[in-house]
Amino acid sequence: MYVSIWSIGVSIMVSVMLMMMCLFISKTSKKDREKMSPFECGFDPKSSARTPFSIQFFLIAVLFLIFDIEIAIMLPIIITMKWSLTSTWILTIMMFIIILIIGLYHEWNNGVLEWAK
């Protein structure tokens, strides 16, 4: 009984000591120059977050997500080739790729992929 109480007490003390050490170690200046500089996105962190931005960034990000998800869907389909009929498998893959190509063609015709207008 005493051993379990002692081990719980020691683990709580070690946890509290580690949290206190992390708190003291991580103290930094609030006016750190690196944290106040723009990071990758190019937006100024001191200005309002509600400023307008180019819709082209958003459209390219959506296109990236669509094709990223396509890869995630294609990998299991390739693995299931062993267990399905070849004709059914080829039909499924072809329909999937045709739908993606039609979507890409539609976006291309609408001018989504043109950066400068």
Side-chain angles (χ1 to χ4, degrees), residues 53-63 110-117:
F53 65 97
S54 174
I55 196 71
Q56 293 294 332
F57 288 114
F58 176 74
L59 293 175
I60 296 297
V62 168
L63 280 174
N110 285 340
V112 173
L113 302 177
E114 294 179 19
W115 190 260
K117 290 185 179 182

Side-chain angles (χ1 to χ4, degrees), residues 8-21:
I8 290 172
V10 168
S11 63
I12 289 173
M13 298 234 335
V14 167
S15 299
V16 169
M17 285 182 359
L18 285 174
M19 285 191 284
M20 295 302 281
M21 283 176 42

Side-chain angles (χ1 to χ4, degrees), residues 43-58:
F43 296 122
D44 186 16
K46 298 175 187 172
S47 65
S48 173
R50 301 278 181 186
T51 57
F53 65 97
S54 174
I55 196 71
Q56 293 294 332
F57 288 114
F58 176 74

Side-chain angles (χ1 to χ4, degrees), residues 18-30 32 35:
L18 285 174
M19 285 191 284
M20 295 302 281
M21 283 176 42
C22 289
L23 181 69
F24 292 126
I25 290 172
S26 67
K27 291 274 186 186
T28 57
S29 173
K30 290 187 178 182
D32 191 14
K35 288 187 179 181

Side-chain angles (χ1 to χ4, degrees), residues 1-13:
M1 180 72 174
Y2 291 115
V3 173
S4 62
I5 292 174
W6 184 76
S7 63
I8 290 172
V10 168
S11 63
I12 289 173
M13 298 234 335

